[in-house]
Each structure stands twice: as structure tokens, then as C-alpha cells.
Amino acid sequence: MQRAILDDSHLAFARMVRDLLDKEVEPYALAWEEEQAIPTSLYRTLGAAGIFGTQIPEEFGGAGESSFTYNAIVLEEIARGSVLLGPATLHHNVVIPYFLHYATHEQQRRWLPGMASGELMGAIAMTEPGGGSDLAGLRTTAVLEGDHYRLNGAKTFITGGANAGLIIVVARTGSGPDRREGLTLLVVENGMPGLERGRKLRKLGLHAQDTVELFFTDVRVPVRNVLGEPGEAFRYLTGNLPQERLAIAVGSMAMAESILADTVAYVGDRQVFGQRLSSMQNTKFVLAGLAAQLEAGRCLVDRAISEHNNGTLTGADAAKVKLFATELQGRVADECLQLFGGYGYMTEYRIARRFTDARITRVYGGSSEIMKTIIAKSMGLR
């Protein structure tokens, strides 16, 4: 089916991104997986191509687009490739929006040009050891002392934290009867004394991207590095969640579609018992069923993109699209790997790496169980 949300300018942009990734990423994907690192030079290459600046105002080196569709195109093209660029997609779709929505003009002038160019990559530090999805219960503290905050605490599962030049840290600066009160966003800059990067965490998948622990010991964060108003972080975090969850859904759908395409090509070539694997009824039924589900998922995701562009995508609807897309991605990866047989278990085959990469999407950005809870509340179920 035709995608009504894309026009000629979108298709031209998609071709540009695809050509860039084919040249700058695909030849090195396996090496990066083995080295468990993405070179920082790639981020500057992506920045120079205008990929990070799609929504950044022109005065700060961006394209000034209000539409999320260009972001979605980048997510899709990355997800169709052989290695997921987690620090890049998080920088583009999660971190930059905080600076667009809550930073002062002075802060934007100071940081956005480098964020657009890829010279200044961002990360966000929310999750704490033992904390999981309970943001209201975080223990990292920041005490106001004159013109700065003294920051202490620890964070974990921080994507892109190893090389980030800017880290948005969620810290408790006050208290109140509601645990969600008194949280503040502080921007910690690379090189600030007391910031320590811990070990790179070993993961089931997403081997190329760095995921680290961060420690803050008496870090002096200037008051001018506060994003938005002190004590309002919980509202800011929940306000940005629909786009974050939509971004995950967009990538999940694109990867699932690409997995299906790879599998169709494979079964057309694979000979089993003297015939093509694609000629067997079970193969046809499995792939036909997945194709129908993916068509439905694509319609759901594209509708969510349109609603987000119009400012009408609700938190509950974002939860629905993330739940549906990520669960579907998992089914597609599992059923397609089965058709590859023993080869599907070999990491030299892209299906094996995608199978493990896909598992995390049902966890980060809010687990499937959290999505169901949000949806149930929107239905009046208490």
C-alpha cells in the first residue's frame, strides 16, 4: 500500500540517508559489533549531512522542520541496516527535543550548533541501579549552593554515555507530598570534575552501541545549566515520552519489514529436499501471515506519525503504537529466524543479530507491561 505521509521531498531525503548509510555504515557493521564501539567520526559525518538538524532552527545550524516525518525516515533507514546506531537515534529523537522545548535561547545558542553538527553528542541519564521504570523514586540529588548545584548519585543503562559531550541528568532538588515533585533536569558537560564513566555494560544485543554506568560525586553544575524550571522535570519527561515511544515503534516496524524482506530472499534461494524452501506451504503461510500483520502495523505507525505532527498524539495512543509495533517485531524476528534454520543462529547472518537486537524494544522506553497499564488507565480501568 502507498504511504500517504510521504511526498517527493521525503523520498529524496530517504534516498540520501540510505546512500549515506550504505557508504559509511554497512561496510563496517560487523567490525563495530566485534569492537563494541561506533567511531565518533560517524556522528560528525551524519551531522554534516544534516541528519541531526532536521528540527533544529536554522539559526543554530539546522533545517528548522517542524515535522517529525524526517526524523522517522532517518530511524527507518537506520533500522533497515546491519547495525543500529543507538547513540545517534537517541541524540536525534530523545535528547535534542529537550533542548528545543525547554532550553533558554542562551542555552540553545551555546549547545545546539554542536548538537546539529554531531560534534556535541547528547545522552540522558534517568534510570538508576534498582530503579527501573520508577522515575519518581530516583535517589540522585542536587543541592543548590549559590550559583551551582552539587550533584551526587549514580545512573545505569545510559546509551551513548561513554562519548556524550552533554548529559541530561534527572536529579532530586526538592521534596513534596507527591514523589514526582522536586525533580530537575541538569545538563552535565563532559569534563566536569566528579563525573565518572563506569564500565561498558555487556548486553544480549546492540553490541556496537555503548551502554554505560555513570557516577556523579560532588559535581558542580552551574545554575545556568538547568533545563526548564527547577522541580518540573517529571512533567517534562512525561511530555516527551510520546515522541520517544513513537520513535521506538518507527524503528521496530522498519526493522521487522526488513527482516521479512531478507527472509523472502533467503527462502527463494535455499534448497531443501530438492526444492526451494519458498515453495513449501508452511513457508508461504508463515510469511503471508507476517506480511498482513506488518501492513496493519505500518498503517498504525504512519497514522501515529501524522497525529504527532498535528500535535494530537496522546500518551495512551503512543503506548498503543509502541506495544503493537515492538511485540510484532519480536514475532517477526522469531518466526523468520526459524525459517533460516541453523544458519539463523549464526551471527554472521544478519537475522541472528537482529533477533537479539529486537528483544530490548519491548523493555526500554517503558516495558510492554507499562504500556498496557497506561492503555488500561486511558480506558477507565482502575
PDB file of all heavy atoms in Angstrom, residues 44-72:
ATOM      1  N   ARG A  44      29.881  12.896  13.353  1.00  0.00           N
ATOM      2  CA  ARG A  44      30.182  14.144  12.638  1.00  0.00           C
ATOM      3  C   ARG A  44      29.784  14.035  11.170  1.00  0.00           C
ATOM      4  O   ARG A  44      29.326  15.008  10.571  1.00  0.00           O
ATOM      5  CB  ARG A  44      31.665  14.484  12.790  1.00  0.00           C
ATOM      6  CG  ARG A  44      32.054  14.819  14.236  1.00  0.00           C
ATOM      7  CD  ARG A  44      33.460  15.386  14.332  1.00  0.00           C
ATOM      8  NE  ARG A  44      34.469  14.369  14.066  1.00  0.00           N
ATOM      9  CZ  ARG A  44      34.972  13.551  14.993  1.00  0.00           C
ATOM     10  NH1 ARG A  44      34.532  13.622  16.237  1.00  0.00           N
ATOM     11  NH2 ARG A  44      35.899  12.674  14.681  1.00  0.00           N
ATOM     12  N   THR A  45      29.939  12.837  10.603  1.00  0.00           N
ATOM     13  CA  THR A  45      29.514  12.618   9.212  1.00  0.00           C
ATOM     14  C   THR A  45      28.005  12.766   9.084  1.00  0.00           C
ATOM     15  O   THR A  45      27.500  13.410   8.147  1.00  0.00           O
ATOM     16  CB  THR A  45      29.951  11.227   8.740  1.00  0.00           C
ATOM     17  OG1 THR A  45      31.378  11.131   8.788  1.00  0.00           O
ATOM     18  CG2 THR A  45      29.483  10.957   7.315  1.00  0.00           C
ATOM     19  N   LEU A  46      27.270  12.180  10.021  1.00  0.00           N
ATOM     20  CA  LEU A  46      25.814  12.294   9.999  1.00  0.00           C
ATOM     21  C   LEU A  46      25.387  13.743  10.217  1.00  0.00           C
ATOM     22  O   LEU A  46      24.440  14.227   9.585  1.00  0.00           O
ATOM     23  CB  LEU A  46      25.200  11.398  11.074  1.00  0.00           C
ATOM     24  CG  LEU A  46      25.439   9.884  10.937  1.00  0.00           C
ATOM     25  CD1 LEU A  46      24.812   9.138  12.106  1.00  0.00           C
ATOM     26  CD2 LEU A  46      24.898   9.359   9.616  1.00  0.00           C
ATOM     27  N   GLY A  47      26.078  14.426  11.108  1.00  0.00           N
ATOM     28  CA  GLY A  47      25.761  15.829  11.354  1.00  0.00           C
ATOM     29  C   GLY A  47      26.005  16.690  10.135  1.00  0.00           C
ATOM     30  O   GLY A  47      25.194  17.563   9.798  1.00  0.00           O
ATOM     31  N   ALA A  48      27.105  16.445   9.452  1.00  0.00           N
ATOM     32  CA  ALA A  48      27.431  17.230   8.259  1.00  0.00           C
ATOM     33  C   ALA A  48      26.396  17.027   7.158  1.00  0.00           C
ATOM     34  O   ALA A  48      26.163  17.928   6.336  1.00  0.00           O
ATOM     35  CB  ALA A  48      28.821  16.846   7.750  1.00  0.00           C
ATOM     36  N   ALA A  49      25.753  15.867   7.147  1.00  0.00           N
ATOM     37  CA  ALA A  49      24.717  15.583   6.147  1.00  0.00           C
ATOM     38  C   ALA A  49      23.368  16.182   6.529  1.00  0.00           C
ATOM     39  O   ALA A  49      22.400  16.066   5.768  1.00  0.00           O
ATOM     40  CB  ALA A  49      24.570  14.071   5.958  1.00  0.00           C
ATOM     41  N   GLY A  50      23.298  16.800   7.708  1.00  0.00           N
ATOM     42  CA  GLY A  50      22.056  17.440   8.133  1.00  0.00           C
ATOM     43  C   GLY A  50      21.091  16.521   8.844  1.00  0.00           C
ATOM     44  O   GLY A  50      19.940  16.916   9.126  1.00  0.00           O
ATOM     45  N   ILE A  51      21.528  15.314   9.175  1.00  0.00           N
ATOM     46  CA  ILE A  51      20.614  14.338   9.751  1.00  0.00           C
ATOM     47  C   ILE A  51      20.178  14.726  11.160  1.00  0.00           C
ATOM     48  O   ILE A  51      19.006  14.577  11.524  1.00  0.00           O
ATOM     49  CB  ILE A  51      21.258  12.944   9.714  1.00  0.00           C
ATOM     50  CG1 ILE A  51      21.221  12.429   8.270  1.00  0.00           C
ATOM     51  CG2 ILE A  51      20.557  11.972  10.663  1.00  0.00           C
ATOM     52  CD1 ILE A  51      21.920  11.120   8.050  1.00  0.00           C
ATOM     53  N   PHE A  52      21.087  15.240  11.983  1.00  0.00           N
ATOM     54  CA  PHE A  52      20.727  15.588  13.350  1.00  0.00           C
ATOM     55  C   PHE A  52      19.976  16.916  13.445  1.00  0.00           C
ATOM     56  O   PHE A  52      19.341  17.192  14.454  1.00  0.00           O
ATOM     57  CB  PHE A  52      21.983  15.678  14.232  1.00  0.00           C
ATOM     58  CG  PHE A  52      22.682  14.364  14.434  1.00  0.00           C
ATOM     59  CD1 PHE A  52      24.070  14.303  14.453  1.00  0.00           C
ATOM     60  CD2 PHE A  52      21.973  13.194  14.602  1.00  0.00           C
ATOM     61  CE1 PHE A  52      24.724  13.098  14.650  1.00  0.00           C
ATOM     62  CE2 PHE A  52      22.621  11.976  14.785  1.00  0.00           C
ATOM     63  CZ  PHE A  52      24.010  11.933  14.808  1.00  0.00           C
ATOM     64  N   GLY A  53      20.068  17.719  12.412  1.00  0.00           N
ATOM     65  CA  GLY A  53      19.499  19.057  12.493  1.00  0.00           C
ATOM     66  C   GLY A  53      18.129  19.227  11.902  1.00  0.00           C
ATOM     67  O   GLY A  53      17.681  20.360  11.703  1.00  0.00           O
ATOM     68  N   THR A  54      17.431  18.131  11.634  1.00  0.00           N
ATOM     69  CA  THR A  54      16.148  18.250  10.938  1.00  0.00           C
ATOM     70  C   THR A  54      15.196  19.216  11.635  1.00  0.00           C
ATOM     71  O   THR A  54      14.532  20.020  10.977  1.00  0.00           O
ATOM     72  CB  THR A  54      15.471  16.865  10.811  1.00  0.00           C
ATOM     73  OG1 THR A  54      15.438  16.235  12.091  1.00  0.00           O
ATOM     74  CG2 THR A  54      16.232  15.986   9.830  1.00  0.00           C
ATOM     75  N   GLN A  55      15.111  19.169  12.966  1.00  0.00           N
ATOM     76  CA  GLN A  55      14.167  20.012  13.695  1.00  0.00           C
ATOM     77  C   GLN A  55      14.839  21.181  14.418  1.00  0.00           C
ATOM     78  O   GLN A  55      14.156  21.976  15.055  1.00  0.00           O
ATOM     79  CB  GLN A  55      13.373  19.158  14.688  1.00  0.00           C
ATOM     80  CG  GLN A  55      12.445  18.155  14.012  1.00  0.00           C
ATOM     81  CD  GLN A  55      11.568  17.414  15.007  1.00  0.00           C
ATOM     82  OE1 GLN A  55      12.053  16.858  15.983  1.00  0.00           O
ATOM     83  NE2 GLN A  55      10.267  17.398  14.759  1.00  0.00           N
ATOM     84  N   ILE A  56      16.151  21.285  14.335  1.00  0.00           N
ATOM     85  CA  ILE A  56      16.868  22.389  14.970  1.00  0.00           C
ATOM     86  C   ILE A  56      16.704  23.649  14.122  1.00  0.00           C
ATOM     87  O   ILE A  56      16.825  23.595  12.897  1.00  0.00           O
ATOM     88  CB  ILE A  56      18.361  22.034  15.144  1.00  0.00           C
ATOM     89  CG1 ILE A  56      18.504  20.923  16.194  1.00  0.00           C
ATOM     90  CG2 ILE A  56      19.190  23.255  15.545  1.00  0.00           C
ATOM     91  CD1 ILE A  56      19.927  20.418  16.383  1.00  0.00           C
ATOM     92  N   PRO A  57      16.417  24.794  14.730  1.00  0.00           N
ATOM     93  CA  PRO A  57      16.229  26.027  13.960  1.00  0.00           C
ATOM     94  C   PRO A  57      17.437  26.366  13.081  1.00  0.00           C
ATOM     95  O   PRO A  57      18.584  26.041  13.414  1.00  0.00           O
ATOM     96  CB  PRO A  57      16.028  27.090  15.045  1.00  0.00           C
ATOM     97  CG  PRO A  57      15.488  26.328  16.220  1.00  0.00           C
ATOM     98  CD  PRO A  57      16.170  24.996  16.176  1.00  0.00           C
ATOM     99  N   GLU A  58      17.171  27.034  11.977  1.00  0.00           N
ATOM    100  CA  GLU A  58      18.229  27.377  11.028  1.00  0.00           C
ATOM    101  C   GLU A  58      19.316  28.237  11.658  1.00  0.00           C
ATOM    102  O   GLU A  58      20.498  28.106  11.315  1.00  0.00           O
ATOM    103  CB  GLU A  58      17.622  28.088   9.814  1.00  0.00           C
ATOM    104  CG  GLU A  58      16.737  27.197   8.953  1.00  0.00           C
ATOM    105  CD  GLU A  58      16.190  27.921   7.741  1.00  0.00           C
ATOM    106  OE1 GLU A  58      16.794  28.938   7.330  1.00  0.00           O
ATOM    107  OE2 GLU A  58      15.163  27.478   7.204  1.00  0.00           O
ATOM    108  N   GLU A  59      18.943  29.118  12.596  1.00  0.00           N
ATOM    109  CA  GLU A  59      19.944  29.993  13.207  1.00  0.00           C
ATOM    110  C   GLU A  59      20.983  29.218  14.006  1.00  0.00           C
ATOM    111  O   GLU A  59      22.065  29.725  14.302  1.00  0.00           O
ATOM    112  CB  GLU A  59      19.272  31.028  14.112  1.00  0.00           C
ATOM    113  CG  GLU A  59      18.566  30.457  15.330  1.00  0.00           C
ATOM    114  CD  GLU A  59      18.021  31.542  16.246  1.00  0.00           C
ATOM    115  OE1 GLU A  59      18.806  32.421  16.673  1.00  0.00           O
ATOM    116  OE2 GLU A  59      16.800  31.507  16.516  1.00  0.00           O
ATOM    117  N   PHE A  60      20.683  27.958  14.335  1.00  0.00           N
ATOM    118  CA  PHE A  60      21.627  27.129  15.079  1.00  0.00           C
ATOM    119  C   PHE A  60      22.187  25.995  14.226  1.00  0.00           C
ATOM    120  O   PHE A  60      22.728  25.024  14.758  1.00  0.00           O
ATOM    121  CB  PHE A  60      20.962  26.563  16.327  1.00  0.00           C
ATOM    122  CG  PHE A  60      20.389  27.611  17.242  1.00  0.00           C
ATOM    123  CD1 PHE A  60      19.038  27.593  17.585  1.00  0.00           C
ATOM    124  CD2 PHE A  60      21.185  28.637  17.735  1.00  0.00           C
ATOM    125  CE1 PHE A  60      18.507  28.561  18.419  1.00  0.00           C
ATOM    126  CE2 PHE A  60      20.652  29.616  18.570  1.00  0.00           C
ATOM    127  CZ  PHE A  60      19.317  29.582  18.912  1.00  0.00           C
ATOM    128  N   GLY A  61      22.057  26.109  12.911  1.00  0.00           N
ATOM    129  CA  GLY A  61      22.664  25.136  12.017  1.00  0.00           C
ATOM    130  C   GLY A  61      21.782  23.995  11.578  1.00  0.00           C
ATOM    131  O   GLY A  61      22.267  23.019  10.980  1.00  0.00           O
ATOM    132  N   GLY A  62      20.471  24.086  11.837  1.00  0.00           N
ATOM    133  CA  GLY A  62      19.571  23.016  11.450  1.00  0.00           C
ATOM    134  C   GLY A  62      18.690  23.386  10.272  1.00  0.00           C
ATOM    135  O   GLY A  62      18.872  24.430   9.636  1.00  0.00           O
ATOM    136  N   ALA A  63      17.728  22.507   9.979  1.00  0.00           N
ATOM    137  CA  ALA A  63      16.815  22.728   8.858  1.00  0.00           C
ATOM    138  C   ALA A  63      15.529  23.399   9.284  1.00  0.00           C
ATOM    139  O   ALA A  63      14.770  23.891   8.448  1.00  0.00           O
ATOM    140  CB  ALA A  63      16.485  21.396   8.181  1.00  0.00           C
ATOM    141  N   GLY A  64      15.233  23.411  10.586  1.00  0.00           N
ATOM    142  CA  GLY A  64      14.052  24.093  11.084  1.00  0.00           C
ATOM    143  C   GLY A  64      12.739  23.438  10.728  1.00  0.00           C
ATOM    144  O   GLY A  64      11.695  24.101  10.704  1.00  0.00           O
ATOM    145  N   GLU A  65      12.741  22.128  10.461  1.00  0.00           N
ATOM    146  CA  GLU A  65      11.497  21.426  10.135  1.00  0.00           C
ATOM    147  C   GLU A  65      10.675  21.187  11.405  1.00  0.00           C
ATOM    148  O   GLU A  65      11.211  20.779  12.432  1.00  0.00           O
ATOM    149  CB  GLU A  65      11.810  20.080   9.483  1.00  0.00           C
ATOM    150  CG  GLU A  65      12.340  20.179   8.072  1.00  0.00           C
ATOM    151  CD  GLU A  65      11.268  20.542   7.066  1.00  0.00           C
ATOM    152  OE1 GLU A  65      10.069  20.414   7.409  1.00  0.00           O
ATOM    153  OE2 GLU A  65      11.627  20.941   5.950  1.00  0.00           O
ATOM    154  N   SER A  66       9.396  21.432  11.326  1.00  0.00           N
ATOM    155  CA  SER A  66       8.525  21.138  12.462  1.00  0.00           C
ATOM    156  C   SER A  66       8.056  19.692  12.431  1.00  0.00           C
ATOM    157  O   SER A  66       7.710  19.117  13.465  1.00  0.00           O
ATOM    158  CB  SER A  66       7.314  22.073  12.462  1.00  0.00           C
ATOM    159  OG  SER A  66       6.572  21.920  11.257  1.00  0.00           O
ATOM    160  N   SER A  67       8.048  19.093  11.244  1.00  0.00           N
ATOM    161  CA  SER A  67       7.542  17.738  11.072  1.00  0.00           C
ATOM    162  C   SER A  67       8.493  16.697  11.654  1.00  0.00           C
ATOM    163  O   SER A  67       9.715  16.789  11.516  1.00  0.00           O
ATOM    164  CB  SER A  67       7.325  17.461   9.578  1.00  0.00           C
ATOM    165  OG  SER A  67       7.070  16.089   9.356  1.00  0.00           O
ATOM    166  N   PHE A  68       7.918  15.689  12.291  1.00  0.00           N
ATOM    167  CA  PHE A  68       8.685  14.546  12.779  1.00  0.00           C
ATOM    168  C   PHE A  68       8.963  13.545  11.662  1.00  0.00           C
ATOM    169  O   PHE A  68       9.770  12.629  11.834  1.00  0.00           O
ATOM    170  CB  PHE A  68       7.898  13.855  13.912  1.00  0.00           C
ATOM    171  CG  PHE A  68       8.545  12.619  14.461  1.00  0.00           C
ATOM    172  CD1 PHE A  68       9.632  12.701  15.319  1.00  0.00           C
ATOM    173  CD2 PHE A  68       8.056  11.353  14.124  1.00  0.00           C
ATOM    174  CE1 PHE A  68      10.229  11.552  15.838  1.00  0.00           C
ATOM    175  CE2 PHE A  68       8.643  10.203  14.635  1.00  0.00           C
ATOM    176  CZ  PHE A  68       9.732  10.305  15.494  1.00  0.00           C
ATOM    177  N   THR A  69       8.342  13.712  10.515  1.00  0.00           N
ATOM    178  CA  THR A  69       8.458  12.723   9.441  1.00  0.00           C
ATOM    179  C   THR A  69       9.892  12.523   8.998  1.00  0.00           C
ATOM    180  O   THR A  69      10.317  11.398   8.706  1.00  0.00           O
ATOM    181  CB  THR A  69       7.584  13.130   8.243  1.00  0.00           C
ATOM    182  OG1 THR A  69       6.242  13.364   8.692  1.00  0.00           O
ATOM    183  CG2 THR A  69       7.556  12.033   7.188  1.00  0.00           C
ATOM    184  N   TYR A  70      10.688  13.592   8.958  1.00  0.00           N
ATOM    185  CA  TYR A  70      12.088  13.449   8.559  1.00  0.00           C
ATOM    186  C   TYR A  70      12.862  12.642   9.602  1.00  0.00           C
ATOM    187  O   TYR A  70      13.736  11.831   9.257  1.00  0.00           O
ATOM    188  CB  TYR A  70      12.726  14.817   8.334  1.00  0.00           C
ATOM    189  CG  TYR A  70      12.208  15.510   7.103  1.00  0.00           C
ATOM    190  CD1 TYR A  70      11.157  16.420   7.158  1.00  0.00           C
ATOM    191  CD2 TYR A  70      12.749  15.224   5.847  1.00  0.00           C
ATOM    192  CE1 TYR A  70      10.664  17.036   6.016  1.00  0.00           C
ATOM    193  CE2 TYR A  70      12.265  15.840   4.689  1.00  0.00           C
ATOM    194  CZ  TYR A  70      11.216  16.743   4.791  1.00  0.00           C
ATOM    195  OH  TYR A  70      10.735  17.354   3.651  1.00  0.00           O
ATOM    196  N   ASN A  71      12.564  12.862  10.867  1.00  0.00           N
ATOM    197  CA  ASN A  71      13.174  12.036  11.914  1.00  0.00           C
ATOM    198  C   ASN A  71      12.815  10.571  11.712  1.00  0.00           C
ATOM    199  O   ASN A  71      13.658   9.686  11.855  1.00  0.00           O
ATOM    200  CB  ASN A  71      12.699  12.480  13.294  1.00  0.00           C
ATOM    201  CG  ASN A  71      13.156  13.865  13.675  1.00  0.00           C
ATOM    202  OD1 ASN A  71      13.005  14.811  12.902  1.00  0.00           O
ATOM    203  ND2 ASN A  71      13.706  14.007  14.876  1.00  0.00           N
ATOM    204  N   ALA A  72      11.538  10.328  11.397  1.00  0.00           N
ATOM    205  CA  ALA A  72      11.076   8.959  11.198  1.00  0.00           C
ATOM    206  C   ALA A  72      11.809   8.299  10.036  1.00  0.00           C
ATOM    207  O   ALA A  72      12.154   7.108  10.097  1.00  0.00           O
ATOM    208  CB  ALA A  72       9.563   8.953  10.949  1.00  0.00           C
TER     209      ALA A  72
END
